[in-house]
Amino acid sequence: MEEDFSPAKKAHPGILVKHIRSLAQRLEEGGHEVTWDENFPGHERFYAFDKLGNRLEFLEAKAS
């Protein structure tokens, strides 16, 4: 890691996944905090942080 590195506070990758609830459960079981966000119509979405403090967004389209 670079000496002056600091993770971005807002900018982050968004990762489209399947079985988002299962993924969230696995992350939580591994000790990672998951924060759900209901403000994306038509999708389920949560945020988590990697071991370096980078914010990651995971989302899945809701079934019609």
Side-chain angles (χ1 to χ4, degrees), residues 7-29:
K9 299 210 186 289
K10 283 296 255 179
H12 60 271
I15 305 164
L16 189 60
V17 300
K18 292 184 180 181
H19 311 292
I20 195 166
R21 296 277 170 181
S22 296
L23 174 59
Q25 182 179 355
R26 289 195 318 265
L27 287 170
E28 289 175 323
E29 288 171 354

Side-chain angles (χ1 to χ4, degrees), residues 12 33-37 45-49 55-57:
H12 60 271
E33 182 179 349
V34 168
T35 304
W36 289 95
D37 181 356
R45 172 168 73 173
F46 71 82
Y47 299 99
F49 291 87
R55 182 180 183 197
L56 304 173
E57 174 185 1

Side-chain angles (χ1 to χ4, degrees), residues 37-56:
D37 181 356
E38 302 296 329
N39 294 318
F40 194 135
H43 292 78
E44 289 192 86
R45 172 168 73 173
F46 71 82
Y47 299 99
F49 291 87
D50 69 13
K51 66 180 182 177
L52 298 176
N54 296 297
R55 182 180 183 197
L56 304 173

